[in-house]
Amino acid sequence: MTKLTKFAIVELNSQTDILANLQSIELGIKIASERGTRMVILPENAFCFGKQGFASQYFDALKAWSAQAARHYGVYLLAGTLPCPYRPDGTPVADGKLRQSSLLFDPTGDCLARYDKIHLFKATVNDSTGNYDEGRTFEAGNKLIVTDTEFGKVGMMVCFDIRFPILAVKLRELGADILTAPSAFTYQTGKAHWHALLTARALDSQCMVIGAGQTGDHVVNPLAPGKVRSTWGHSEFISSDGENVLTQIIDAANDAATRDFDITNNLAHLPLSAKAASWLAASDSRPELDQTAVKTTFYQQAPSVIFADFDADAQQITRQNIALLECQKLTIIANNT
């Protein structure tokens, strides 16, 4: 009998209010855990959308919070991305920049892996922002990451990485069975390319690809609440043969167990977020966020949880039927300098 592993994406509409984001995240993890999920995947910028310098001050605290969440709810947790002021070896990032770091925790709370985004988004997009250049804020990572779990090897990517087939192929060569892609695709680029890119990377690598996206409108500057960035959402799982995999979607705003849940007034039901309220409230920047809470909450949507099963046996059959690695004649060399 085929053994299936249940995964869940928590699709978020993160804003600049870290505490509100933590409540959305914890609610999504709770819903996933109660339904037997083994691994939960969060989007890029899950803990703070915008104000990356501010959020980076909380990197260690949010890393510890994520470890607690994985342990408390008994799941593997791919904690989207967090802006980190130091490199994996502990040295500060040069020129006041940050690393866009994706962290994977096991159900005991141990951090199994850290992947720093290699390909930084630089593009002109036909939206209200126009020009994007992550290189102004972030330093690119330079190391490929594949890590062991009980259900297979996880190769880690982030957002813009999925445009580069060589990365997906190299992760497969390093043994990956599953590729994670926490993302915050703009609405315009997502509408045009998101599904096609996820499907292509799954076919390139013969891995399940998990695209966890931000969705909706985001106020990136609380002092200018009318100026928003829009993300595409449409989180999905793509199997190794290029097919969309879906078992269930739960919208927390409409779920019978949570539809009356007001995310701004239910800390008592979310124990980890309740504890975080003490150290977030101590921040000098927290009063600023409190003053804009009404504006932020206006945009913030309840999370959606998207479930799918990973069928390792079926994936292995796909790989045997089309033996890409045996047929490959070109050598892929990753630039790790």
Side-chain angles (χ1 to χ4, degrees):
M1 182 176 181
T2 299
K3 182 179 179 181
L4 303 178
T5 304
K6 186 181 290 293
F7 290 167
I9 294 167
V10 178
E11 185 171 278
L12 296 168
N13 174 239
S14 300
Q15 304 291 336
T16 56
D17 188 329
I18 295 176
L19 182 57
N21 295 333
L22 290 183
Q23 292 175 78
S24 290
I25 291 166
E26 186 173 1
L27 177 58
I29 296 172
K30 177 175 165 50
I31 291 170
S33 174
E34 289 172 347
R35 287 158 176 81
T37 298
R38 201 70 195 119
M39 181 175 178
V40 178
I41 302 93
L42 306 180
E44 187 177 24
N45 300 327
F47 299 86
C48 189
F49 200 107
K51 296 179 73 71
Q52 295 296 291
F54 166 69
S56 71
Q57 302 172 56
Y58 290 99
F59 176 81
D60 292 318
L62 292 171
K63 178 181 178 181
W65 187 94
S66 300
Q68 292 171 3
R71 184 168 58 250
H72 181 83
Y73 291 102
V75 296
Y76 285 85
L77 177 63
L78 194 287
T81 65
L82 282 163
C84 184
Y86 54 85
R87 303 180 180 112
D89 64 3
T91 59
V93 179
D95 302 321
K97 293 184 178 182
L98 308 167
R99 289 284 187 98
Q100 187 72 304
S101 299
S102 184
L103 305 174
L104 177 61
F105 299 87
D106 71 13
T108 70
D110 287 340
C111 187
L112 298 180
R114 165 180 166 172
Y115 166 67
D116 290 352
K117 184 178 183 180
I118 292 174
H119 299 100
L120 301 179
F121 185 47
K122 186 173 184 179
T124 299
V125 178
N126 185 23
D127 63 13
S128 60
T129 299
N131 293 307
Y132 294 82
D133 186 0
E134 284 189 309
R136 291 194 292 258
T137 303
F138 294 102
E139 176 185 77
N142 57 5
K143 186 176 182 182
L144 305 184
I145 298 295
V146 174
T147 190
D148 283 308
T149 70
E150 65 190 55
F151 42 77
K153 293 180 181 290
V154 176
M156 299 170 71
M157 303 188 296
V158 172
C159 201
F160 199 52
D161 282 331
I162 69 169
R163 289 190 179 271
F164 299 89
I166 290 176
L167 175 58
V169 172
K170 189 61 182 178
L171 291 172
R172 163 72 193 282
E173 289 183 345
L174 293 174
D177 300 298
I178 299 152
L179 302 183
T180 54
S183 301
F185 257 61
T186 72
Y187 186 89
Q188 295 296 337
T189 57
K191 182 178 180 181
H193 304 138
W194 171 249
H195 177 73
L197 288 169
L198 292 176
T199 302
R201 297 298 80 82
L203 292 171
D204 290 338
S205 65
Q206 296 182 310
C207 294
M208 173 183 266
V209 177
I210 305 175
Q214 289 279 353
T215 188
D217 293 333
H218 311 265
V219 180
V220 296
N221 180 0
L223 300 179
K227 186 176 182 180
V228 300
R229 289 186 184 175
S230 298
T231 50
W232 176 241
H234 293 77
S235 299
E236 56 185 327
F237 299 83
I238 304 295
S239 68
S240 58
D241 59 1
E243 295 296 322
N244 183 282
V245 183
L246 176 66
T247 56
Q248 186 182 19
I249 299 176
I250 293 178
D251 183 347
N254 298 315
D255 183 50
T258 59
R259 67 168 158 255
D260 296 325
F261 192 95
D262 178 357
I263 205 162
T264 62
N265 294 303
N266 277 275
L267 280 172
H269 299 282
L270 299 171
L272 303 183
S273 300
K275 291 179 181 178
S278 61
W279 48 265
L280 281 172
S283 164
D284 291 338
S285 296
R286 185 66 197 169
E288 175 193 341
L289 295 179
D290 283 341
Q291 292 166 14
T292 62
V294 174
K295 297 172 184 175
T296 300
T297 304
F298 174 79
Y299 284 103
Q300 190 138 15
Q301 304 168 18
S304 296
V305 186
I306 300 99
F307 296 90
D309 292 328
F310 172 58
D311 189 335
D313 292 342
Q315 180 163 290
Q316 186 57 31
I317 291 172
T318 295
R319 291 177 170 187
Q320 291 170 349
N321 289 342
I322 306 177
L324 288 184
L325 292 191
E326 292 179 20
C327 299
Q328 180 173 291
K329 299 303 180 183
L330 298 176
T331 301
I332 305 298
I333 302 175
N335 181 8
N336 288 329
T337 59

